[in-house]
């Protein structure tokens, strides 16, 4: 049976890279039935819809969501990010953001292969806080970080499960020396889960130290688990040390499968290069490979990853064509 995919191309280069990703999925012989959803900044400017409850209910009927990128300079920052991307992550309970990194860090010689598991529904992203006396010298703004035992525990459990299929090592990244309340909750959840996986080795790094290791010694990592904001920042760095953000893929997963999971490149909508053919579709193609893993099509996903591993250059569609020609199998 065909996998039913909701496609949100979005803004800027989003639709361009998503088209290449679907081209490659089809070339790999996977049967997909796609439905386009016109969402993003452009849609919002046209009729005010960001993501209505009706549209969200429709999305729930699909096996997966493939997203390009959202955001346009004409809409103030936060509106589309919170109203569309974060709303999907929260409402569909996409509590794991899985971001793999394979490459050789600039200046390095030894290749690395690690995965960041970013908690995807909590931390400062929940929007807790507020502002008082805005625009005056007495202005006060607070932005709280929400950390629940359940949220940390399930992210850690996913990381340990993943490590069991890999090199059996998980590193917790946090800032326990300063964020003592949240850090302590994370540490205890991490160790409670670790007790269920005696074969898995563990480590802890402060997030600032992890930034140095990402650049100087990324081979030390297998699976990293961290909170939402640290994970956001670290995964841009992960992209930068693994061939660039044009290769960085991600899966927003609901591992309990109570709703569709969503797959998107780490990069944004890059409105400055829209229509130029300069966008590298590889991150979107690798995100589609993560989608195929989740749909039980791992053989096709592996072929796509192998096809992407050999460097390709060219325009957006040329890269898509070359990778598509390599996966036919
Ligand atoms: C990402 C992005 C988003 C995030 C933004 C666009 C809200 O940077 O997926 O990493 O911060 O999570
Ligand atoms: Mn980010």
């Amino acid at each position: 049976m065909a996998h039913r995919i909701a496609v949100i191309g979005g803004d800027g280069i989003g639709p361009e890279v998503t088209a290449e990703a679907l081209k490659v999925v089809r070339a790999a012989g996977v049967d997909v039935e796609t439905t386009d959803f016109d969402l993003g900044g452009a849609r919002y400017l046209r009729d005010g819809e960001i993501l209505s409850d009706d549209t969200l209910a429709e999305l729930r009927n699909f096996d997966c969501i493939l997203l390009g990128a959202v955001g346009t300079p004409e809409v103030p920052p936060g509106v589309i990010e919170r109203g569309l991307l974060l709303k999907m992550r929260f409402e569909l309970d996409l509590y794991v953001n899985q971001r793999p990194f394979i490459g050789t860090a600039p200046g390095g010689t030894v290749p690395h292969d690690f995965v960041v598991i970013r908690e995807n529904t909590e931390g400062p992203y929940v929007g807790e806080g507020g502002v008082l006396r805005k625009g005056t010298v007495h202005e006060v703004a607070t932005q709280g970080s929400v950390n629940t035992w359940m949220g940390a525990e399930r992210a850690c459990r996913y990381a340990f499960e993943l490590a069991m299929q890999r090199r059996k090592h998980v590193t917790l990244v946090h800032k326990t020396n300063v964020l003592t309340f949240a850090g302590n909750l994370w540490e205890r959840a991490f160790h409670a889960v670790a007790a269920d996986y005696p074969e898995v080795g563990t480590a802890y790094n402060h997030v600032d130290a992890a930034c140095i290791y990402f650049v100087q010694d990324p081979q030390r990592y297998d699976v990293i688990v961290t909170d939402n904001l640290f994970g956001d920042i670290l995964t841009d760095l992960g992209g930068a040390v693994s061939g660039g953000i044009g290769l960085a893929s991600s899966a927003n997963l609901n591992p309990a499968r109570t709703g569709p999971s969503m797959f998107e490149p780490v990069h944004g909508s890059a409105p400055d290069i829209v229509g130029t053919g300069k966008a590298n579709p590889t991150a979107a193609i690798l995100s589609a490979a993560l989608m195929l893993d989740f749909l039980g099509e791992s053989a096709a996903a592996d072929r796509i990853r192998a096809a992407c591993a050999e460097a390709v250059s060219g325009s957006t569609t040329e890269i898509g064509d070359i990778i598509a020609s390599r996966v036919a199998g």
Side-chain angles (χ1 to χ4, degrees):
M1 246 185 39
H3 303 290
R4 301 183 62 243
I5 315 293
V7 179
I8 304 173
D11 300 309
I13 61 169
E16 301 171 18
V17 296
T18 306
E20 300 310 308
L22 287 170
K23 181 197 282 178
V24 171
V25 165
R26 292 199 164 100
V30 181
D31 194 6
V32 291
E33 187 188 304
T34 60
T35 304
D36 285 315
F37 283 80
D38 177 14
L39 295 168
R43 167 75 189 272
Y44 170 68
L45 289 171
R46 217 170 51 243
D47 69 6
E49 162 144 5
I50 303 177
L51 177 62
S52 67
D53 291 343
D54 285 349
T55 308
L56 190 63
E58 265 184 72
L59 287 173
R60 285 184 197 278
N61 296 321
F62 289 82
D63 297 325
C64 279
I65 302 165
L66 188 66
L67 184 131
V70 295
T72 176
E74 293 85 50
V75 180
V79 175
I80 307 298
E81 289 88 338
R82 292 211 77 83
L84 179 55
L85 202 57
L86 300 188
K87 187 168 176 180
M88 279 195 284
R89 288 179 184 170
F90 295 154
E91 294 291 329
L92 301 174
D93 205 19
L94 309 177
Y95 66 84
V96 162
N97 197 322
Q98 178 166 339
R99 297 183 160 179
F101 297 100
I102 299 177
T104 304
T109 48
V110 187
H112 56 260
D113 174 351
F114 64 90
V115 182
V116 176
I117 299 304
R118 163 186 178 189
E119 197 293 321
N120 212 28
T121 56
E122 302 194 340
Y125 277 73
V126 301
E128 194 261 359
V131 62
L132 273 178
R133 303 189 284 265
K134 189 169 180 173
T136 74
V137 294
H138 301 289
E139 181 166 344
V140 182
T142 64
Q143 192 99 46
S145 172
V146 172
N147 298 266
T148 70
W149 176 269
M150 182 196 75
E153 204 267 355
R154 65 186 185 174
C156 290
R157 191 162 296 281
Y158 185 89
F160 278 85
E161 284 290 328
L162 183 65
M164 286 297 288
Q165 298 158 33
R166 293 175 48 98
R167 301 194 304 276
K168 297 191 169 63
H169 192 271
V170 186
T171 305
L172 172 66
V173 172
H174 208 282
K175 186 75 184 175
T176 55
N177 53 344
V178 174
L179 306 180
T180 51
F181 309 127
N184 185 253
L185 182 152
W186 269 90
E187 243 178 346
R188 280 179 291 112
F190 181 79
H191 289 298
V193 174
D196 292 338
Y197 299 86
E199 288 167 62
V200 178
T202 62
Y204 170 78
N205 293 160
H206 291 319
V207 64
D208 45 355
C211 290
I212 297 178
Y213 297 140
F214 265 48
V215 175
Q216 295 188 344
D217 185 25
Q219 297 82 18
R220 69 170 55 221
Y221 295 122
D222 178 19
V223 177
I224 291 170
V225 64
T226 190
D227 83 356
N228 206 344
L229 184 57
F230 293 145
D232 176 49
I233 298 164
L234 271 182
T235 53
D236 266 30
L237 184 56
V241 297
S242 309
I245 201 77
L247 307 183
S249 58
S250 85
N252 295 262
L253 302 177
N254 174 333
R257 297 184 189 253
T258 57
S261 291
M262 189 254 284
F263 300 81
E264 53 163 348
V266 175
H267 65 66
S269 56
D272 51 325
I273 57 165
V274 68
T276 63
K278 285 188 189 156
N280 186 342
T282 308
I285 293 168
L286 289 170
S287 302
L290 291 171
M291 175 179 81
L292 296 186
D293 283 331
F294 202 70
L295 291 171
E297 302 276 4
S298 288
D302 287 342
R303 285 206 304 282
I304 293 174
R305 279 186 284 267
C308 291
E310 299 164 53
V312 193
S313 59
S315 70
T316 308
T317 54
E318 281 164 1
I319 294 175
D321 288 343
I322 293 167
I323 294 172
S325 72
R326 288 179 183 168
V327 296

